[in-house]
Amino acid sequence: MKWTDTQRIAEDLNDRFPDVDPETIRFTDLHRWVLELDGFDDEPNRSGERILEAIQAAWIEEAR
């Protein structure tokens, strides 16, 4: 899984952190949690604010 797999990342985050409101997450936590996901295999420095925003938006939709 890479940074660009935003939907899959969002699904995995939603499964792993069902009690977290993705609208209140800090990007530093989001970045760390993505890196800790099973199957995630991308460079930590390849993410940026746009990618993290896309992941957060997908997670918000997934959590509804």
Side-chain angles (χ1 to χ4, degrees):
M1 188 167 25
K2 305 292 184 194
W3 285 110
T4 54
D5 298 319
T6 56
Q7 185 59 42
R8 183 165 171 214
I9 290 170
E11 291 168 2
D12 286 359
L13 288 169
N14 195 53
D15 291 343
R16 187 169 178 188
F17 303 103
D19 297 328
V20 171
D21 179 355
E23 291 187 44
T24 63
I25 188 98
R26 290 179 291 195
F27 282 170
T28 53
D29 292 333
L30 180 57
H31 186 269
R32 181 172 38 88
W33 290 352
V34 171
L35 294 175
E36 294 172 355
L37 289 175
D38 291 337
F40 185 80
D41 184 31
D42 205 348
E43 295 295 320
N45 62 351
R46 288 196 176 183
S47 74
E49 190 171 333
R50 290 177 116 171
I51 289 175
L52 293 172
E53 285 174 347
I55 292 169
Q56 182 185 33
W59 188 3
I60 290 167
E61 284 298 313
E62 187 66 28
R64 290 185 179 178

